[in-house]
């Protein structure tokens, strides 16, 4: 790489610059067959079983926001990455990087939230590490979590979506854009007051009920950074099918929509922390939808569109006013430190 | 009444789509001047609803897109001055200058802060008395009044470390120049926010001189479809005039208080527009009475020589002569994450809007 170039905030956006960094630096030097799969979790065959293994770091600003804090994110992020890979999350590690002067009562608040979420999700935090840096050398607290889960054979390909075919239905478990806009609104510099709460939640219990109710779930991905739009455009990118989504079927809360209008964001690309996108066979779609709706995190779940034979490699949005447009991968727009 | 849902009503949009189909007999080419319109047209997929006779082209109404490289180069030079803090609207930070961008300077250590209002920039100046704070004032009649208000406020508050670097421009000279230069269009979807300030008087020249209609439009799908209908109707009946579709916001006389503020702070100068060149009396510079707050006069820097990028046809796109897809760089070398031209940077830029919604 060019030695005059520096890291830009855009390298962390999850968009094209991030991909360039991953391909141009990380996978280039770390190269191995497991990493090359580039899915949310690495799938590692050990003896006759498959383990899912994933890691994620959290630098959200502010660390406390309506609907959660950095600790809730750190558990949910890793648990959900495992769950959407078709795995049952089992064990987590936690690493803290803390700035000198950080209030211990705030640390405890964060840790209590993590312990409660882990218990509810049925995962154990089994190892950890703490580093303290000089004041000003990091912003309050950064957290890394890694997790291991056990994969069910029937969901070995659910992360890649290799079984997806025309006619399959697309399900999401509720409203979009809540997390990103809750964090944006909580930032002091904006001086905005809203009632938006982050949707941050561990989805593994909801997902495992759905997966045990059906053999027809062909793809799962949590719609975090980059939002629903990015998940859909990534799924369709190298495929031989198209996607068609009805804007009318998407749930966007009144306040999220208002704030997006104000700040010029498209809710399709705003981060979520408790939303999973599933592609399910037509026959099983309603059964899976009903199962998701039973969960407190899936009450507003709906079928938002389907996989189609037409417009291959493109995700179409049928707009609420009867128009049509392409859903592209997020490229360039950025909300730094959203998770 | 929520002023959004009502204007995104599918049935009303369909009604206007039908009306347009019914009355449109001859090919008509309409230019939406404002970047906000381009964004909305693409976001709601409106071209899908129009008959083949109606073609929409995007105009020069994205302030980031028409800003010169020279302006960015100078802003970059300011950012390299030890005691300067740059405050800017977010759109500008990724616009390429000749050899750098504000984003890259920020990564190299320059103090560059994104603000949502000039008042935030002034607050930064107040809290950092030992620094000089330069606000990048960019935009048309829409944002220029807030810069004017900021300068007025700075002068009453005796804020001595606050400066505005003005690239403010006014819209009518560009709209007339495009027609003068022979760009083939049959009517303008007039800018809603600009007209809120200026009123409709500034466009009266266009029907009189060029026999072409202007309909000042709102930004929602119903607004745009109704405006297109009004323009098609004018065209079919050969009755070009200035009409206000966006009457819930735009008054014929505009916002007189804002106009007075602009008059107090700014005077016209000839200004350079990407794609259009130098247009007479199209830029706003700070009057010498307020030069204390004029970065160009008060903060001296050496600026590198401006170099324009090869192969970029932003200019032709801004003139409505080419569409983004006609550009050899579009979507290949030039993408929103690694833009070559300014039209790809701004969320209101036509290349960016096409890239996101219509590729």
């Amino acid at each position: 790489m060019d030695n005059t170039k520096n890291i830009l905030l855009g390298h962390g956006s999850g968009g094209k610059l991030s991909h360039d960094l991953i391909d141009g630096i990380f996978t280039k030097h770390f190269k191995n067959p497991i990493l090359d799969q580039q899915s949310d979790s690495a799938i590692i065959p050990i003896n006759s079983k498959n383990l899912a293994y994933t890691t994620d770091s959290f630098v959200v600003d502010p660390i406390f926001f309506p609907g959660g804090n950095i600790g809730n994110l750190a558990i949910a992020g890793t648990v959900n990455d495992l769950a959407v890979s078709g795995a049952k999350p089992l064990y987590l590690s936690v690493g803290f990087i803390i700035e000198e002067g950080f209030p211990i009562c705030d640390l405890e608040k964060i840790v209590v939230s993590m312990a409660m979420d882990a218990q509810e999700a049925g995962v154990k935090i089994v190892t950890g590490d703490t580093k303290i840096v000089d004041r000003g050398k990091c912003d309050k607290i950064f957290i890394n979590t890694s997790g291991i889960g056990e994969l069910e054979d029937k969901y070995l390909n659910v992360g890649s979506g290799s079984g997806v075919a025309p006619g399959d239905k697309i399900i999401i478990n509720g409203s979009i854009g809540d997390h990103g806009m809750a964090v944006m609104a909580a930032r002091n510099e904006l001086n905005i007051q809203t009632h938006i709460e982050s949707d941050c939640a561990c989805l593994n219990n909801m997902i495992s009920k759905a997966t045990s109710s059906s053999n027809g779930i062909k793809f799962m991905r949590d719609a975090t950074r980059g939002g629903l739009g990015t998940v859909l455009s990534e799924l369709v990118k190298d495929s031989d099918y198209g996607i068609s989504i009805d804007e009318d079927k998407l749930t966007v809360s009144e306040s999220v929509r208002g704030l997006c209008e104000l700040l010029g964001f498209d809710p399709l690309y705003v981060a979520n922390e408790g939303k999973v996108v599933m592609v399910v066979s037509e026959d099983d779609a309603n059964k899976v939808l009903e199962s998701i709706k039973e969960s407190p995190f899936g009450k507003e779940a709906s079928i938002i569109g389907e996989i189609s034979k037409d417009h291959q490699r493109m995700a179409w949005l049928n707009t609420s006013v009867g128009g049509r447009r392409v859903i592209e991968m997020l490229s360039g727009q950025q909300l730094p430190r959203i998770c | 009444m929520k002023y959004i849902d009502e204007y995104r009503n599918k049935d009303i949009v369909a009604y206007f789509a039908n009306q347009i189909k019914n009355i449109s007999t001859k090919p008509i080419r309409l230019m939406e001047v404002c970047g906000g319109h381009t964004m909305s047209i693409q976001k709601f997929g409106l071209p899908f609803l129009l008959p083949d006779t109606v073609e929409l082209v995007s105009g020069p109404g994205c302030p980031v897109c028409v800003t010169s490289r020279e302006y960015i180069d100078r802003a970059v030079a300011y950012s390299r001055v030890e005691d300067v803090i740059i405050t800017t609207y977010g759109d500008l930070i990724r616009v390429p200058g000749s050899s750098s961008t504000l984003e890259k300077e920020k990564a190299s250590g320059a103090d560059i802060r994104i603000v949502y209002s000039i008042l935030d920039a002034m607050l930064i100046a107040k809290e950092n008395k030992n620094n000089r704070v330069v606000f990048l004032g960019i935009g048309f009649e829409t944002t220029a009044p807030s810069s004017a208000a900021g300068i007025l406020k700075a002068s009453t508050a005796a804020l001595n470390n606050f400066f505005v670097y003005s690239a403010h421009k006014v819209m009518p000279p560009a709209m007339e120049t495009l027609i003068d230069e022979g760009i083939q269009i049959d009517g303008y979807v007039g800018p809603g926010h600009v007209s809120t300030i200026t009123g409709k008087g500034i466009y009266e020249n266009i029907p009189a001189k060029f026999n072409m209609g202007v309909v000042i439009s709102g930004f929602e799908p119903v607004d745009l479809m109704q405006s297109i209908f009004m323009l098609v109707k004018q065209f079919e009946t050969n009755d070009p005039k200035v009409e206000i579709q966006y009457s819930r916001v735009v008054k014929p006389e505009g916002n007189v208080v804002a106009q007075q503020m602009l008059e107090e702070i700014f005077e016209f100068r000839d200004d350079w527009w990407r794609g259009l060149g130098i247009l007479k009396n199209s830029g706003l510079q700070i009057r010498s009475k307020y030069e204390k707050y004029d970065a160009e006069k008060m903060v001296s820097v050496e600026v590198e020589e401006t170099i324009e990028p090869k192969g970029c046809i932003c200019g032709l796109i801004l003139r409505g002569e080419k569409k983004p897809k006609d550009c050899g760089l579009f979507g290949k070398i030039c993408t929103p994450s690694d833009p070559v031209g300014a039209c790809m940077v701004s969320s209101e830029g036509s290349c960016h809007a096409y890239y996101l919604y219509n590729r």
Side-chain angles (χ1 to χ4, degrees):
Chain A
M1 267 206 167
D2 185 347
N3 61 8
T4 61
K5 283 191 178 172
N6 295 327
I7 289 289
L8 306 176
L9 281 173
H11 283 114
S13 68
K16 187 174 168 299
L17 276 180
S18 306
H19 286 279
D20 291 349
L21 192 67
I22 292 168
D23 296 340
I25 301 283
F26 299 126
T27 51
K28 185 172 114 187
H29 295 290
F30 293 151
K31 203 165 174 47
N32 65 63
I34 295 175
L35 183 65
D36 287 349
Q37 293 169 1
Q38 296 208 14
S39 50
D40 270 348
S41 302
I43 309 297
I44 309 167
I46 291 179
N47 300 330
S48 60
K49 286 194 168 163
N50 285 298
L51 286 185
Y53 180 36
T54 190
T55 187
D56 211 338
S57 300
F58 298 84
V59 298
V60 65
D61 170 39
I63 53 174
F64 294 97
F65 48 82
N69 64 51
I70 188 170
N72 301 112
L73 281 186
I75 301 299
T78 293
V79 164
N80 292 345
D81 272 350
L82 291 170
V84 298
S85 304
K88 177 180 162 47
L90 295 172
Y91 302 107
L92 301 190
S93 73
V94 180
F96 293 97
I97 298 171
I98 308 173
E99 185 186 14
E100 176 191 21
F102 186 72
I104 289 181
C105 62
D106 282 353
L107 178 63
E108 190 163 12
K109 235 188 261 175
I110 292 167
V111 169
V112 167
S113 315
M114 295 175 78
M116 284 169 64
D117 282 2
Q119 193 182 10
E120 206 168 306
V123 295
K124 291 194 170 62
I125 297 166
V126 290
T127 182
D129 176 57
T130 311
K131 295 281 187 293
I132 312 296
V133 298
D134 293 337
R135 194 183 282 273
K137 302 292 177 183
C138 91
D139 189 6
K140 301 182 193 72
I141 183 167
F142 297 156
I143 302 179
N144 171 276
T145 50
S146 295
I148 296 181
E150 197 179 325
L151 205 65
E152 265 191 82
D153 282 348
K154 70 172 180 176
Y155 286 114
L156 203 53
N157 295 318
V158 82
S160 69
S162 55
V164 172
D168 292 347
K169 301 290 179 192
I170 301 166
I171 297 176
I172 189 164
N173 61 313
S175 61
I176 56 170
D178 300 84
H179 175 73
M181 285 301 114
V183 171
M184 282 304 282
R187 290 199 180 150
N188 284 332
E189 64 253 42
L190 276 178
N191 270 321
I192 291 174
Q193 285 183 338
T194 69
H195 301 289
I196 306 171
E197 286 199 359
S198 166
D199 60 343
C200 176
C202 292
L203 301 177
N204 59 318
N205 293 330
M206 180 187 83
I207 289 174
S208 89
K209 275 201 187 118
T211 51
S212 53
S213 77
S214 158
N215 291 329
I217 300 175
K218 301 180 176 182
F219 171 79
M220 288 191 281
R221 178 77 50 88
D222 49 345
T224 53
R225 197 171 50 176
L228 172 63
T230 302
V231 171
L232 296 174
S233 57
E234 278 179 356
L235 172 63
V236 85
K237 195 173 54 171
D238 299 315
S239 72
D240 52 4
Y241 48 79
I243 286 178
S244 125
I245 297 289
D246 294 322
E247 194 172 32
D248 285 344
K249 307 265 172 64
L250 300 176
T251 310
V252 184
S253 81
E254 201 68 30
S255 331
V256 167
R257 197 158 64 127
L259 189 56
C260 279
E261 292 286 335
L262 188 67
L263 299 176
F265 290 109
D266 184 340
L268 264 184
Y269 297 98
V270 175
N272 311 282
E273 287 293 343
K275 291 293 150 5
V276 58
V277 181
M278 287 184 183
V279 178
V280 186
S281 68
E282 192 177 359
D283 291 345
D284 274 16
N286 281 322
K287 193 161 69 177
V288 170
L289 182 67
E290 289 316 312
S291 153
I292 291 174
K293 279 187 163 179
E294 283 169 18
S295 156
F297 307 122
K299 285 196 163 55
E300 290 184 307
S302 59
I303 296 175
I304 56 172
E306 62 179 17
I307 306 293
S308 71
K309 286 197 293 275
D310 308 326
H311 46 78
Q312 289 179 4
R313 287 185 295 287
M314 282 201 278
W316 279 98
L317 183 75
N318 300 312
T319 69
S320 54
V321 300
R324 257 192 185 188
R325 65 166 160 102
V326 175
I327 301 171
E328 269 296 337
M329 188 149 58
L330 181 78
S331 178
Q333 279 173 315
Q334 44 173 281
L335 285 178
R337 299 185 60 189
I338 209 77
C339 62
Chain B
M1 197 74 177
K2 285 177 183 155
Y3 287 101
I4 285 195
D5 291 347
E6 293 79 359
Y7 293 93
R8 292 184 182 179
N9 182 305
K10 195 175 189 168
D11 297 335
I12 306 177
V13 168
Y15 168 80
F16 282 117
N18 247 327
Q19 290 287 87
I20 294 167
K21 268 177 207 146
N22 289 341
I23 63 163
S24 179
T25 59
K26 321 176 265 186
I28 176 172
R29 210 161 181 247
L30 301 173
M31 176 176 274
E32 80 274 0
V33 181
C34 174
H37 286 155
T38 304
M39 191 70 187
S40 204
I41 287 166
Q42 296 300 336
K43 184 173 166 193
F44 291 99
L46 301 187
F48 181 76
L49 296 169
L50 295 172
D52 292 342
T53 42
V54 180
E55 185 186 359
L56 299 176
V57 289
S58 310
C62 153
V64 170
C65 305
V66 293
T67 299
S68 66
R69 281 206 162 211
E70 201 184 338
Y71 182 86
I72 301 297
D73 289 343
R74 196 177 177 91
V76 163
Y78 284 142
S79 78
R80 289 174 179 164
V81 178
E82 186 67 36
D83 69 329
V84 166
I85 299 173
I86 298 282
T87 50
T88 176
Y89 298 131
D91 271 9
L92 212 52
I93 121 158
R94 299 178 53 248
V95 179
S98 296
S99 69
S100 184
T101 65
L102 291 168
E103 184 184 39
K104 286 178 185 158
E105 295 302 314
K106 183 169 183 273
S108 316
D111 195 342
I112 296 169
R113 305 186 194 181
I114 291 173
V115 292
Y116 284 89
S117 141
I118 192 170
L119 298 177
D120 297 338
M122 293 167 73
L123 198 64
I124 292 171
K126 218 166 147 186
E127 287 165 356
N128 295 275
K129 286 284 185 202
N130 296 326
N131 293 88
R132 289 181 289 176
V133 174
V134 175
F135 175 73
L136 305 183
I138 134 159
F140 300 111
E141 289 94 333
T142 334
T143 53
S146 70
S147 288
I151 292 173
L152 276 175
K153 200 171 169 193
S155 69
T156 52
L159 200 54
N160 296 323
N161 62 332
F162 179 72
F163 308 92
V164 175
Y165 176 25
S166 169
H168 288 299
K169 290 179 168 55
V170 291
M171 195 51 101
M175 289 170 69
E176 291 195 25
T177 302
L178 282 170
I179 316 175
D180 265 341
E181 292 195 353
I183 306 295
Q184 287 303 313
I185 49 171
D186 305 300
Y188 275 120
V189 177
H193 293 147
V194 165
S195 310
T196 308
I197 305 295
T198 61
K200 69 177 216 172
I202 59 165
Y203 310 113
E204 292 294 356
N205 232 356
I206 294 174
K209 201 166 142 195
F210 304 103
N211 196 37
M212 184 184 296
V214 179
V215 173
I216 297 164
S217 176
F219 294 83
E220 298 300 329
V222 167
D223 292 322
L224 285 156
M225 292 300 281
Q226 186 179 17
S227 299
I228 293 166
F229 168 69
M230 290 162 81
L231 283 162
V232 171
K233 194 172 166 197
Q234 287 187 15
F235 182 66
E236 292 286 340
T237 56
N238 196 20
D239 181 24
K241 56 192 164 192
V242 181
E243 292 186 277
I244 303 175
Q245 179 279 333
Y246 199 23
S247 56
R248 65 186 183 279
V249 175
V250 177
K251 292 187 224 148
E253 71 280 11
N255 178 338
V256 178
V257 176
Q259 290 166 18
Q260 285 164 349
M261 244 182 229
L262 281 178
E263 175 66 25
E264 169 70 18
I265 299 294
F266 292 110
E267 59 192 353
F268 290 116
R269 66 173 160 196
D270 300 345
D271 205 352
W272 193 94
W273 293 55
R274 185 184 298 272
L276 300 177
I278 291 184
L279 305 186
K280 205 160 173 46
N281 287 334
S282 67
L284 295 175
Q285 81 177 345
I286 299 169
R287 287 182 188 276
S288 52
K289 185 177 166 192
Y290 293 96
E291 70 181 10
K292 248 181 94 175
Y293 303 101
D294 188 345
E296 284 176 88
K297 297 206 175 117
M298 306 307 287
V299 186
S300 57
V301 278
E302 278 201 25
V303 184
E304 65 187 307
E305 196 191 336
T306 300
I307 306 162
E308 291 292 333
K310 284 202 182 81
C312 169
I313 60 163
C314 270
L316 295 170
I317 290 167
L318 287 167
R319 295 158 61 104
E321 287 184 24
K322 298 267 183 190
K323 294 209 165 178
K325 286 173 186 168
D326 300 328
C327 178
L329 308 183
F330 178 76
K332 298 178 191 115
I333 298 169
C334 184
T335 60
S337 59
D338 200 5
V340 177
C343 299
M344 187 58 95
V345 178
S346 168
S347 59
E348 292 189 353
S350 32
C351 293
H352 190 269
Y354 272 75
Y355 186 92
L356 272 188
Y357 297 131
N358 191 20
R359 211 142 61 96

